[in-house]
Amino acid sequence: MGLLAGALAVACLALVGPSAPGGGAPFARALPAYAVTEVVPNRVMTWNLCNPCEESNVDRAAEIATYAPQVVGLQEACEGDVRRIRDHLERLYGLVYHVEYGAVLQHWGRCGGAPWNPGGFGQAILSAAPMTDPVTVEYPDGGSEGRGYTAVTTRIGGRTVRVFNTHLAQRRQEAVRAEQADVLARAVAPHERALVLGDFNAVPDAPELAPLWAVAADTDPGCRPGGAGACEVTTDWHSKFDYVFLRGLVPQAHRVRPTPYSDHHLLHTDLRTA
């Protein structure tokens, strides 16, 4: 009997994943009065979901639905959670997104699943427009755990754009991040228009981000190396770690929105259209 109960528990975990509390709730969370009603075609967003944090995917979907970006880059993302977020966005809010997963780890501790078939963990891209030419590249050295970037081609504000989403190595691993930033910058450089989203685990002045500053600019025109005091913080510990880097694209406005569902804030920007 004990073996049967254990098998059933594992099966349930495989079905619901690590974000079971509220993860399958059938009711939409009421959105604030300032929420948009449909996808904003020139808006992009980056958000580190926080993992493991046991947050409800219904609440995560509601946070995204409030701003309804054309493109969303998620980090610390489990494939099962992203799938449920996408489903909640469509079923509860009428927002339809395509998804490209960028798992760099199969991690039972972070993402649940059966012990012999753990869930994929890494980054993901949601796009209201179809995506083509997807690639996921694992960095040669991930640091304390595997890290990488995912890239797709899609349309934002009527333009074709190459979109990158990444999560660089954890703090106190500056040399590792420097190598990762160099790999990413060399992938971004050939593109006339590129969008680079992610959690870079480094402040704007950090030397390891120099390769990216050489090929792209932050969405905040006042945020530059040497002027980090003007950069709006994006984490609960009052650091700017999250970026929307632009190459060949011009920002129109950006917002940083704290959220109770992650230790990273939501960062979204509207781009000038052609």
Side-chain angles (χ1 to χ4, degrees), residues 115-167:
W116 58 89
N117 186 27
F121 172 79
Q123 57 277 337
I125 299 174
L126 281 66
S127 174
M131 294 177 279
T132 61
D133 305 315
V135 298
T136 293
V137 175
E138 188 169 356
Y139 294 124
D141 183 357
S144 53
E145 69 178 12
R147 293 290 165 93
Y149 71 80
T150 298
V152 301
T153 298
T154 189
R155 293 187 69 80
I156 302 172
R159 291 179 168 185
T160 300
V161 179
R162 189 65 172 169
V163 178
F164 296 80
N165 182 26
T166 193
H167 187 193

